[in-house]
Amino acid sequence: MSSNESLENLLKEERRFAPPAELAAAANVTAAAYQEAKEDRLAFWAEQARRLSWSTEPTETLDWSNPPFAKWFADGELNVAYNCVDRHVEAGHGDRVAIHFEGEPGDSRAITYAQLKDEVSKAAHALTELGIEKGDRVAVYLPMIPEAAVAMLACARIGAAHSVVFGGFSAEAVASRVQDADAKLVITADGGYRRGKPTALKPAIDEAVLSCPTVQHVLVVRRTGQETAWTEGRDVWWDEITSRQSTEHTPVPHNAEHPLFILYTSGTTGKPKGILHTTGGYLTQASYTHHAVFDLKPETDVYWCTADIGWVTGHSYIVYGPLANGATQVMYEGTPDTPHQGRFWEIIQKYKVTLLYTAPTAIRTFMKWGDDIPAKFDLSSLRILGSVGEPINPEAWIWYREHIGAGKTPIVDTWWQTETGAMMISPLPGVTHTKPGSAQTPLPGISATVVDDEANEVPDGGGGYLVLTEPWPSMLRTIWGDDQRYLETYWSRFGAGHEGSGSDKWTYFAGDGAKKDEDGDLWLLGRVDDVMLVSGHNISTTEVESALVSHPKVAEAAVVGATDATTGQAIAAFVILRGSAKDNEDLVAELRNHVAKVLGPIAKPKLIQLVSELPKTRSGKIMRRLLRDIAEGRAVGDTTTLADSTVMDLIQSQRSAGD
Ligand code: 6R9
């Protein structure tokens, strides 16, 4: 992309929503925070670090003497599990529910902070009995059950880094991650419930560990009770080993820069990157952002994040942020349509959920299922709605606000990454006048902007690449075992890390396209690899998708650029209709014209294919690479990270039926 042909500013959004007066009046964080952080960013973060209980208070905030390798609060010491559990019990909140667990088959369990402390303590002793020591790595491969949080906190407590791997990944995917981290222990379950039936998990681990010589034990949580193959001496039942441990466990302090976890992100090519997060800075920002962006009032709020624990959102906004803040939260094991398509709304009604955090992919699925489903439930407890994972299309944003938020709850569209560890760009619910589809403003203490190819900051109204221009507390520290790849992937495109740049400023390249609107607000436009070049114009897949979703008959759309002899790339769109909409001969023409009207004729898709599903990762991101394979008539590439591997066959058959 050249600077004079940067991402086009095609989509105009004029709607604005002021924060509710009542919320603004009592908000945890006000506009003053931006000013305070601007005056002295490091003092601001030092103050936020005081949200935590330190066994040794840090005297130093940031050590950036060896960029891009950061140290935050480097002379401080703390225990993350103590901060997430014990201190709430000591403060007299032991009877507060930490987790309302809702199993897919309908079983439920309420776990108080006092009980959580006992569970984490027993698990910490069990890990020690199994030979796990400070500095070791433990792989976690579990369904969405409370033991997943307990296992992570037990690792944190004794100073072993966890590496959580999605319960849906194959044996091969698990093996490569376990090998890369040299994990000594794998924690798994017999199985979990998904789509109404028990799904085995342990067989994948049995297969994976055959090629993982560092693994000494497999610790197995009993969830489904299904028949499970057993290797004597290696395998240990979780309930058997934990039940004989003491509920008292003294948390030992760890240095602020001690590794807390590794989480693998797939990346577009090559082997997965093990993103390393450490202790003090990570917990500071996870806790602060959860407090600020969800305006959490721990005494009265009921929070629910629908992410899986195997995704970074589950780490920062199910386990560490909310528990550090003493929140009461819902944890749900299953899928949104089991046993019926109103399951989420039923859960919100049952627990009177006040704060909901979910992904655009889920919201668009609910749009597809129809407005009448949420309308059957009492959702009046909700006061803030969050979104994460992908750009949220303006129409999906409006639908979320209207049909879930009764037309009045603020929507916080939170941009961040596995690498950033915690939220970076988001509205503040009591401050920001929100705009559908825009993440808007860097949070207090965060520096983000948009640059062109030559690393020049673009003016308001311009587009280019999202960059982060100052280090932040929860930033990744490196790629596990590969400092060089860390440098090359994130720090060598712009700024001081770029050869010959002449700049002494280190600049983090996020890999996302973005634009600044006339007010200077930020719009995220998807991964830069997904930007299309049509007849010399850069067009973002996100904007064409949003234009399609703004048509009343469309629920969801995925757009890719397919090689084209005349235009370089041609726009190909895969479209899912809303529940009530009917396909007819003119619809494709109508949709093409609609895009031309909203964005201009240049953005008119050459091909529109109606489909019933889209290929998505387990965290709900559309895998456009696979759709590009179809649009260009190639064999479909690697599908191992797909949530449902049958989707590609389905799309192929719908494509040939449409031809
Ligand atoms: C938290 C998470 C990171 C990538 C990121 C971007 C996309 C996430 C977004 C968003 C637009 C948002 N992304 N949140 N794009 N608006 N609010 O998703 O982490 O799985 O590492 O993905 O997700 O493309 O670069 P991760």
Side-chain angles (χ1 to χ4, degrees), residues 452-580:
D452 64 19
D453 267 319
E454 279 82 46
N456 303 308
E457 195 166 341
V458 304
D460 289 350
Y465 308 94
L466 183 74
V467 294
L468 304 170
T469 52
E470 297 289 352
W472 61 101
S474 64
M475 64 193 281
L476 77 167
R477 297 304 193 258
T478 189
I479 292 173
W480 182 254
D482 202 344
D483 287 350
Q484 191 56 34
R485 192 171 177 201
Y486 168 67
L487 262 162
E488 283 163 11
T489 310
Y490 306 107
W491 300 96
S492 66
R493 178 92 180 240
F494 301 111
H498 181 75
E499 213 177 312
S501 74
S503 167
D504 57 2
K505 182 116 187 108
W506 285 81
T507 302
Y508 174 92
F509 171 52
D512 281 6
K515 69 181 185 191
K516 279 194 211 168
D517 67 16
E518 300 300 335
D519 305 324
D521 283 323
L522 297 170
W523 293 72
L524 280 308
L525 298 175
R527 305 295 297 166
V528 291
D529 313 334
D530 290 332
V531 170
M532 302 172 291
L533 190 63
V534 182
S535 304
H537 296 265
N538 281 288
I539 299 178
S540 108
T541 49
T542 298
E543 287 186 302
V544 181
E545 286 162 7
S546 290
L548 284 162
V549 174
S550 74
H551 189 284
K553 288 184 181 159
V554 175
E556 176 144 41
V559 164
V560 298
T563 307
D564 185 275
T566 25
T567 54
Q569 277 189 319
I571 301 176
F574 297 79
V575 170
I576 301 181
L577 298 181
R578 287 213 199 189
S580 52

Side-chain angles (χ1 to χ4, degrees), residues 74-152:
D75 60 350
E77 291 193 335
L78 74 167
N79 187 287
V80 166
Y82 173 81
N83 272 277
C84 290
V85 184
D86 308 44
R87 67 166 173 159
H88 306 311
V89 180
E90 288 171 12
H93 306 310
D95 292 338
R96 183 186 296 163
V97 172
I99 299 173
H100 284 292
F101 172 67
E102 184 79 10
E104 201 192 68
D107 57 321
S108 61
R109 250 160 96 188
I111 301 168
T112 64
Y113 273 96
Q115 290 166 334
L116 188 61
K117 179 187 156 289
D118 291 353
E119 294 306 316
V120 172
S121 299
K122 289 191 287 182
H125 285 300
L127 294 182
T128 304
E129 188 180 316
L130 291 171
I132 304 303
E133 292 169 3
K134 179 167 177 170
D136 287 341
R137 270 83 53 210
V138 173
V140 176
Y141 186 73
L142 283 172
M144 280 295 292
I145 53 176
E147 285 80 1
V150 172
M152 291 161 75

Side-chain angles (χ1 to χ4, degrees), residues 169 266-268 361 364 390 527 530 545 556-560 574 614-630 636-645 647-648 651:
F169 277 173
S266 47
T268 42
T361 178
R364 292 185 303 249
E390 281 187 298
R527 305 295 297 166
D530 290 332
E545 286 162 7
E556 176 144 41
V559 164
V560 298
F574 297 79
L614 290 170
K616 287 178 192 160
T617 64
R618 290 268 302 190
S619 61
K621 294 191 208 310
I622 297 169
M623 292 186 75
R624 291 184 186 71
R625 167 172 68 78
L626 300 176
L627 294 173
R628 215 174 297 130
D629 290 342
I630 290 196
V636 171
D638 183 13
T639 57
T640 50
T641 55
L642 270 185
D644 175 357
S645 56
V647 165
M648 291 317 292
I651 294 174

Side-chain angles (χ1 to χ4, degrees), residues 311-313 388-391 413-419 512 524 527 621:
W311 184 25
V312 72
T313 306
V388 60
E390 281 187 298
D413 173 12
T414 62
W415 180 90
W416 58 294
Q417 310 176 296
T418 306
E419 292 87 341
D512 281 6
L524 280 308
R527 305 295 297 166
K621 294 191 208 310

Side-chain angles (χ1 to χ4, degrees), residues 28-51 288 291 428 443-446:
N28 286 351
V29 175
T30 65
Y34 293 111
Q35 195 51 37
E36 194 193 324
K38 205 167 145 193
E39 274 158 24
D40 191 339
R41 188 174 57 90
L42 295 182
F44 171 83
W45 283 119
E47 186 188 322
Q48 302 320 318
R50 284 187 211 108
R51 301 177 54 75
Y288 172 71
H291 160 85
L428 286 175
L443 287 168
I446 298 301

